[in-house]
Amino acid sequence: MTTLTCGGCGAPGRRYRNGLCQPCVLTADLRAVLDDGAGGIRPELLPFFDALRTMTKPIAGISWIRRPHVDAMLRTLADPATALTHQTLDSMTPWRSVTYLRDLLMLHGVLPAADRHLLLFQRWLRAVLDEITDPGQRQLVARFAAWHVLNRLRRFAARGPLSQTQTNQARDQARDQARDQVRSAIAFLTWLETRDKNLADCRQADIDAWYADGYTRRRNTHPFLRWAMNDKALPTVTIPHQPTANPAPLSQQRRLQLLHHFLTDDQIPLLTRVAAVIVLLYAQPVTRILRLTIDDVIRDGPAVSLQLGDPPSPVPEPFASLLLAYLDQRLNLTTATNSGSRWLFPGRRGGQPMTSDAITRRFRDQGINSISGRTSALRYLVLQAPAPVISRMLGYTDQQTSRTTADAGTPWSRYAPDDHHRWDA
């Protein structure tokens, strides 16, 4: 019996192409696309090269490199005459592939760290402004975006990575809030044109007519109108306000039914089960779940706890066993994108956790609303312990838990002193 060996590394096993195994084919392909013109690889790209050629699933890297637009981008970056900067990537297309490549380059130190959501918004904004044909309207929208929307996003970015909630909101938990504000500004200006008016001619009757057609979906016009009044581009008007309530919290009975469902039904993907239980048991918003790392799962002998605040929150059985099992089955760890990732829920982009849209899609498939679920959980928890205790353990502010305590209608003082130790749901 003849044993096949790789003609490159000599490793035994199935050969993939030209007598080479998959890792050797990937290495050869990378050397080809990253050739600096002198038979070598730019020193700056060596960390990127080493990470890709050692990925756990080399066939994924081979398939990615073979895409014509990826091949073209990598060959451009390999040229020593090309500046390895974010600005260089901004000129490339398609944007999704550019975003993926940018994340990888930042993850492996080729490019300096930058907030990816801010970069994506800036790229999107340039394209949107180019589509506005009226020069005056384009200038107004550009000024609003620069002085209000972008300024706000930069403040967020200065505090740390922009979360999906800070740049995204409903619909389907994926619509970018910053983009919605710009789109709403453009829609309002276009609507004014149908009334043969510009912003300076706008009056209260126009504002009332604009919102009369649908207050909720036009609520994102608020920031633009306030900015325009402050900028003296719009006469003083009154912006209508209507209260918009969050979804009603789940009943305690329904919350317990859902907890039992996710803890016991092994037909549901393990990732979905773990994320849902964290929402329903610990009242965590999706955005905070996505920032958890495997280091936040603390094991002390048989005891397991979750670092949501200070002190860590105890993890009861059977969720403790479920959570520990999930740690060994995390997704998106087989390519160079997130190899060695510490995120509890690694995403598909380099160094990034999953998106809130990816998690909430899983929740919708199971028929739960994360806002209703966590509101119900928080109401239950503040009835079991004083609001300051809950806020510290779960990472909430005292004001948030105090408001929830008031909404629940039953102050802590009516409960027995030992009642707050009941964490089993």
Side-chain angles (χ1 to χ4, degrees):
M1 180 176 178
T2 302
T3 301
L4 298 177
T5 59
C6 173
C9 65
R14 180 181 174 185
R15 292 179 290 184
Y16 176 64
R17 191 179 73 194
N18 298 330
L20 301 177
C21 63
Q22 287 184 3
C24 286
V25 170
L26 176 57
T27 299
D29 286 356
L30 282 169
R31 288 192 182 279
V33 296
L34 296 179
D35 191 315
D36 62 2
I41 296 175
R42 295 179 69 168
E44 306 99 304
L45 289 175
L46 284 174
F48 173 74
F49 167 76
D50 288 335
L52 262 66
R53 71 182 180 87
T54 57
M55 67 170 59
T56 307
K57 193 177 180 182
I59 188 62
I62 295 170
S63 300
W64 181 62
I65 292 169
R66 287 184 179 180
R67 297 175 184 175
H69 59 277
V70 175
D71 180 286
M73 288 191 294
L74 294 177
R75 291 183 186 276
T76 299
L77 295 177
D79 185 349
T82 301
L84 289 174
T85 63
H86 287 288
Q87 288 73 22
T88 296
L89 288 181
D90 286 342
S91 65
M92 295 179 174
T93 56
W95 71 267
R96 290 185 186 276
S97 294
V98 172
T99 300
Y100 183 84
L101 177 58
R102 190 196 304 271
D103 287 339
L104 283 175
L105 294 172
M106 289 192 295
L107 176 65
H108 300 298
V110 179
L111 289 179
D115 191 284
R116 58 186 301 272
H117 297 293
L118 183 57
L119 291 170
L120 279 174
F121 176 79
Q122 290 173 316
R123 185 185 184 111
W124 174 86
L125 179 62
R126 286 192 295 270
V128 168
L129 292 176
D130 287 344
E131 294 175 357
I132 301 177
T133 56
D134 182 87
Q137 188 180 119
R138 187 189 312 117
Q139 184 185 53
L140 266 174
V141 175
R143 282 165 49 202
F144 167 64
W147 292 105
H148 177 79
V149 183
L150 270 171
N151 198 32
R152 182 171 178 267
L153 292 183
R154 288 191 180 104
R155 288 199 303 271
F156 278 130
R159 301 176 196 166
L162 291 182
S163 74
Q164 291 294 317
T165 291
Q166 289 162 343
T167 53
N168 298 345
Q169 70 171 29
R171 124 174 152 24
D172 293 336
Q173 298 287 314
R175 184 66 64 90
D176 190 340
Q177 184 182 39
R179 295 183 184 186
D180 278 349
Q181 291 179 3
V182 173
R183 288 191 187 104
S184 294
I186 295 171
F188 177 69
L189 293 173
T190 303
W191 178 83
L192 275 181
E193 285 183 350
T194 66
R195 297 167 72 92
D196 296 323
K197 290 187 175 184
N198 56 36
L199 199 59
D201 300 326
C202 180
R203 296 295 182 266
Q204 187 64 50
D206 301 305
I207 299 295
D208 294 340
W210 167 253
Y211 284 102
D213 283 344
Y215 176 84
T216 300
R217 62 188 172 87
R218 292 183 167 177
R219 191 174 42 179
N220 280 311
T221 318
H222 286 13
F224 174 69
L225 296 178
R226 294 192 190 100
W227 170 84
M229 284 189 283
N230 290 334
D231 197 58
K232 308 301 182 185
L234 171 70
T236 301
V237 295
T238 299
I239 300 174
H241 173 73
Q242 294 178 16
T244 53
N246 285 328
L250 300 173
S251 68
Q252 175 65 353
Q253 180 182 6
R254 178 57 178 158
R255 186 178 76 94
L256 294 178
Q257 289 173 343
L258 286 171
L259 275 170
H260 182 266
H261 174 62
F262 287 111
L263 288 170
T264 60
D265 191 343
D266 57 10
Q267 299 302 307
I268 303 172
L270 188 55
L271 185 155
T272 305
R273 297 169 66 189
V274 169
V277 173
I278 294 176
V279 169
L280 294 167
L281 191 59
Y282 300 104
Q284 294 298 294
V286 168
T287 50
R288 196 176 300 162
I289 289 174
L290 295 174
R291 308 310 297 181
L292 292 174
T293 70
I294 58 177
D295 302 311
D296 292 318
V297 180
I298 303 169
R299 282 177 271 193
D300 184 9
V304 179
S305 57
L306 196 56
Q307 188 78 60
L308 303 171
D310 185 21
S313 299
V315 179
E317 290 290 359
F319 183 45
S321 297
L322 199 70
L323 181 58
L324 295 180
Y326 168 72
L327 292 180
D328 297 325
Q329 301 179 39
R330 290 179 300 147
L331 302 181
N332 302 320
L333 299 178
T334 58
T335 68
T337 302
N338 258 327
S339 178
S341 172
R342 310 298 291 178
W343 296 118
L344 188 59
F345 301 103
R348 294 182 178 179
R349 300 188 186 279
Q352 300 293 323
M354 293 180 71
T355 65
S356 61
D357 185 47
I359 293 285
T360 52
R361 260 200 314 268
R362 289 170 173 265
F363 288 170
R364 283 198 306 274
D365 290 343
Q366 297 298 322
I368 68 169
N369 180 294
S370 60
I371 298 177
S372 297
R374 71 180 175 89
T375 302
S376 174
L378 189 57
R379 284 193 172 195
Y380 170 76
L381 291 170
V382 296
L383 296 179
Q384 310 307 306
V389 173
I390 296 300
S391 64
R392 286 193 296 270
M393 291 186 69
L394 301 185
Y396 279 89
T397 65
D398 288 346
Q399 291 83 357
Q400 288 172 305
T401 50
S402 295
R403 283 197 301 269
T404 302
T405 301
D407 291 341
T410 309
W412 163 250
S413 59
R414 297 186 187 179
Y415 284 78
D418 62 342
D419 212 23
H420 67 281
H421 292 295
R422 297 185 309 165
W423 274 80
D424 51 310

